[in-house]
Amino acid sequence: MTTFTSTVYVNQPVKQVHKGTQTVSGQWTGTAAVTADDVVFLAKLPHGAIITEFMVDHSSGVTTYAADYGLASGAAGGGGASLSCFVSALATATIIRKNIQNVAGVDKIQVSCSVSDPGRFGIFAAKIGGGTSATFIPVINFRITYRCDEGQGL
């Protein structure tokens, strides 16, 4: 398994925590072939952020493949991972936009990081699934929205 990073992940610090809605968006284009189970870090999310919505789509130009989208860290108390907590096995060229709330309209996912985590941020990530060929170069478009209006991240 190889881990790749988007320029949004590398070049943008965690957005400063303040009240209101925050959106992080970008595109990751692979520069080398990927294989199943490779992970792409897309964006940093502050500790305590409540995820309200995300939108993703991916393609490769030559093959079909599935991808999981979730949190590489910050998905559970203490910073655990759940790489498919938003969507599992999303097909190529499928655009998904999802509001993250349970049936009662209550917030479902809040980024939770360990106090010993030096960066104290969660990681929005994609996990590459199997494709019709052994290796391929994917493109991932993403947008994730969260809110920090209840003292999160402090």
Side-chain angles (χ1 to χ4, degrees):
M1 178 186 89
T2 304
T3 301
F4 298 94
T5 56
S6 72
T7 54
V8 171
Y9 177 85
V10 171
N11 296 330
Q12 290 185 0
V14 178
K15 286 200 173 185
Q16 189 173 23
V17 177
H18 62 82
K19 290 185 177 185
T21 301
Q22 305 285 318
T23 299
V24 179
S25 62
Q27 180 183 69
W28 177 75
T29 302
T31 56
V34 299
T35 58
D37 295 327
D38 285 351
V39 175
V40 182
F41 291 173
L42 301 172
K44 298 171 187 170
L45 306 171
H47 167 70
I50 296 170
I51 310 300
T52 57
E53 179 182 74
F54 80 100
M55 184 182 333
V56 293
D57 70 84
H58 58 267
S59 64
S60 66
V62 295
T63 189
T64 59
Y65 68 96
D68 297 343
Y69 292 91
L71 296 173
S73 72
S82 177
L83 288 168
S84 62
C85 65
F86 298 146
V87 65
S88 178
L90 183 68
T92 299
T94 302
I95 299 171
I96 185 168
R97 178 180 177 213
K98 200 171 193 181
N99 290 318
I100 312 288
Q101 292 187 334
N102 66 17
V103 179
V106 178
D107 299 316
K108 199 169 170 181
I109 297 177
Q110 184 170 15
V111 177
S112 177
C113 302
S114 169
V115 293
S116 62
D117 181 349
R120 198 118 161 111
F121 59 83
I123 301 170
F124 178 43
K127 180 180 175 190
I128 306 299
T132 57
S133 63
T135 60
F136 47 94
I137 298 176
V139 175
I140 298 173
N141 300 299
F142 63 92
R143 183 179 78 197
I144 188 162
T145 302
Y146 58 91
R147 71 176 205 267
C148 289
D149 53 4
E150 298 170 8
Q152 293 93 334
L154 304 175

Short mmCIF file of all heavy atoms in Angstrom, two decimals, residues 8-9 12-13 15 22-26 42-45 124 142-146:
data_model
loop_
_atom_site.label_atom_id
_atom_site.label_comp_id
_atom_site.label_asym_id
_atom_site.label_seq_id
_atom_site.Cartn_x
_atom_site.Cartn_y
_atom_site.Cartn_z
N VAL A 8 -3.70 20.14 -2.00
CA VAL A 8 -4.52 20.78 -0.98
C VAL A 8 -4.08 20.30 0.40
O VAL A 8 -3.90 21.09 1.33
CB VAL A 8 -6.03 20.49 -1.19
CG1 VAL A 8 -6.86 20.97 -0.02
CG2 VAL A 8 -6.50 21.11 -2.49
N TYR A 9 -3.85 19.00 0.54
CA TYR A 9 -3.41 18.44 1.81
C TYR A 9 -2.02 18.97 2.19
O TYR A 9 -1.78 19.37 3.32
CB TYR A 9 -3.39 16.91 1.75
CG TYR A 9 -2.87 16.27 3.01
CD1 TYR A 9 -3.73 16.04 4.08
CD2 TYR A 9 -1.53 15.94 3.16
CE1 TYR A 9 -3.26 15.48 5.26
CE2 TYR A 9 -1.05 15.39 4.32
CZ TYR A 9 -1.93 15.15 5.37
OH TYR A 9 -1.45 14.60 6.53
N GLN A 12 -2.09 23.46 2.13
CA GLN A 12 -3.01 24.26 2.92
C GLN A 12 -3.04 23.76 4.36
O GLN A 12 -3.31 22.58 4.60
CB GLN A 12 -4.43 24.19 2.35
CG GLN A 12 -4.57 24.92 1.04
CD GLN A 12 -6.02 24.93 0.56
OE1 GLN A 12 -6.91 24.39 1.19
NE2 GLN A 12 -6.24 25.56 -0.56
N PRO A 13 -2.78 24.66 5.30
CA PRO A 13 -2.90 24.25 6.70
C PRO A 13 -4.36 24.02 7.04
O PRO A 13 -5.25 24.39 6.26
CB PRO A 13 -2.33 25.45 7.46
CG PRO A 13 -2.52 26.61 6.54
CD PRO A 13 -2.42 26.05 5.15
N LYS A 15 -7.81 24.78 8.11
CA LYS A 15 -8.46 26.09 8.15
C LYS A 15 -8.65 26.51 9.60
O LYS A 15 -9.03 25.71 10.44
CB LYS A 15 -9.80 26.04 7.43
CG LYS A 15 -9.64 26.00 5.93
CD LYS A 15 -10.90 26.44 5.25
CE LYS A 15 -10.67 26.57 3.76
NZ LYS A 15 -11.83 27.09 3.08
N GLN A 22 -17.21 25.80 6.86
CA GLN A 22 -15.94 25.81 6.12
C GLN A 22 -16.05 24.79 4.99
O GLN A 22 -16.62 23.73 5.18
CB GLN A 22 -14.78 25.38 7.02
CG GLN A 22 -14.63 26.16 8.29
CD GLN A 22 -14.05 27.53 8.02
OE1 GLN A 22 -13.12 27.68 7.23
NE2 GLN A 22 -14.60 28.53 8.66
N THR A 23 -15.48 25.11 3.84
CA THR A 23 -15.44 24.16 2.73
C THR A 23 -14.01 24.07 2.21
O THR A 23 -13.35 25.08 2.04
CB THR A 23 -16.38 24.59 1.59
OG1 THR A 23 -17.72 24.62 2.09
CG2 THR A 23 -16.32 23.61 0.43
N VAL A 24 -13.56 22.84 1.99
CA VAL A 24 -12.26 22.59 1.40
C VAL A 24 -12.52 21.79 0.12
O VAL A 24 -13.23 20.79 0.15
CB VAL A 24 -11.34 21.79 2.35
CG1 VAL A 24 -10.00 21.53 1.69
CG2 VAL A 24 -11.17 22.51 3.67
N SER A 25 -11.95 22.23 -0.98
CA SER A 25 -12.17 21.51 -2.24
C SER A 25 -10.88 21.45 -3.04
O SER A 25 -9.95 22.23 -2.81
CB SER A 25 -13.26 22.20 -3.06
OG SER A 25 -12.87 23.52 -3.39
N GLY A 26 -10.84 20.53 -3.97
CA GLY A 26 -9.66 20.40 -4.81
C GLY A 26 -9.74 19.22 -5.75
O GLY A 26 -10.78 18.57 -5.86
N LEU A 42 -6.58 13.72 1.04
CA LEU A 42 -7.16 14.80 0.26
C LEU A 42 -7.14 16.15 0.98
O LEU A 42 -6.83 17.16 0.37
CB LEU A 42 -8.60 14.44 -0.14
CG LEU A 42 -8.74 13.17 -0.98
CD1 LEU A 42 -10.20 12.81 -1.14
CD2 LEU A 42 -8.07 13.34 -2.32
N ALA A 43 -7.52 16.18 2.26
CA ALA A 43 -7.60 17.45 2.98
C ALA A 43 -7.49 17.23 4.49
O ALA A 43 -7.82 16.16 4.99
CB ALA A 43 -8.91 18.16 2.65
N LYS A 44 -7.07 18.29 5.18
CA LYS A 44 -6.98 18.27 6.63
C LYS A 44 -8.26 18.89 7.21
O LYS A 44 -8.76 19.88 6.69
CB LYS A 44 -5.77 19.08 7.10
CG LYS A 44 -4.46 18.53 6.61
CD LYS A 44 -3.32 19.49 6.92
CE LYS A 44 -2.02 19.02 6.28
NZ LYS A 44 -0.97 20.02 6.35
N LEU A 45 -8.74 18.30 8.31
CA LEU A 45 -9.94 18.78 8.98
C LEU A 45 -9.63 19.00 10.46
O LEU A 45 -9.03 18.13 11.09
CB LEU A 45 -11.07 17.75 8.85
CG LEU A 45 -11.40 17.31 7.41
CD1 LEU A 45 -12.36 16.15 7.43
CD2 LEU A 45 -11.97 18.47 6.63
N PHE A 124 -9.25 13.74 5.57
CA PHE A 124 -10.22 13.29 4.58
C PHE A 124 -9.42 12.54 3.52
O PHE A 124 -8.45 13.06 2.98
CB PHE A 124 -10.95 14.49 3.99
CG PHE A 124 -11.95 14.18 2.91
CD1 PHE A 124 -12.83 13.11 3.03
CD2 PHE A 124 -12.03 14.97 1.79
CE1 PHE A 124 -13.75 12.83 2.05
CE2 PHE A 124 -12.95 14.70 0.79
CZ PHE A 124 -13.82 13.63 0.92
N PHE A 142 -12.89 16.61 -5.28
CA PHE A 142 -13.50 16.50 -3.96
C PHE A 142 -13.90 17.85 -3.38
O PHE A 142 -13.33 18.88 -3.74
CB PHE A 142 -12.56 15.78 -2.98
CG PHE A 142 -11.27 16.51 -2.72
CD1 PHE A 142 -11.16 17.40 -1.66
CD2 PHE A 142 -10.17 16.31 -3.53
CE1 PHE A 142 -9.97 18.07 -1.41
CE2 PHE A 142 -8.98 16.97 -3.30
CZ PHE A 142 -8.88 17.86 -2.23
N ARG A 143 -14.86 17.81 -2.50
CA ARG A 143 -15.28 18.97 -1.71
C ARG A 143 -15.86 18.44 -0.41
O ARG A 143 -16.67 17.52 -0.42
CB ARG A 143 -16.33 19.79 -2.44
CG ARG A 143 -16.72 21.05 -1.67
CD ARG A 143 -17.75 21.86 -2.40
NE ARG A 143 -19.04 21.22 -2.21
CZ ARG A 143 -20.11 21.46 -2.95
NH1 ARG A 143 -20.04 22.27 -3.98
NH2 ARG A 143 -21.24 20.86 -2.69
N ILE A 144 -15.42 18.99 0.70
CA ILE A 144 -15.95 18.58 2.00
C ILE A 144 -16.28 19.84 2.79
O ILE A 144 -15.54 20.81 2.78
CB ILE A 144 -14.99 17.65 2.76
CG1 ILE A 144 -15.67 17.08 4.01
CG2 ILE A 144 -13.67 18.33 3.07
CD1 ILE A 144 -15.00 15.85 4.58
N THR A 145 -17.44 19.80 3.44
CA THR A 145 -17.93 20.95 4.20
C THR A 145 -18.12 20.52 5.64
O THR A 145 -18.63 19.43 5.91
CB THR A 145 -19.26 21.46 3.61
OG1 THR A 145 -19.04 21.80 2.24
CG2 THR A 145 -19.76 22.69 4.35
N TYR A 146 -17.70 21.38 6.54
CA TYR A 146 -17.85 21.09 7.97
C TYR A 146 -18.14 22.39 8.70
O TYR A 146 -18.01 23.48 8.14
CB TYR A 146 -16.59 20.42 8.52
CG TYR A 146 -15.32 21.21 8.37
CD1 TYR A 146 -14.90 22.09 9.36
CD2 TYR A 146 -14.54 21.07 7.23
CE1 TYR A 146 -13.73 22.83 9.21
CE2 TYR A 146 -13.37 21.80 7.08
CZ TYR A 146 -12.97 22.66 8.07
OH TYR A 146 -11.82 23.39 7.92
#
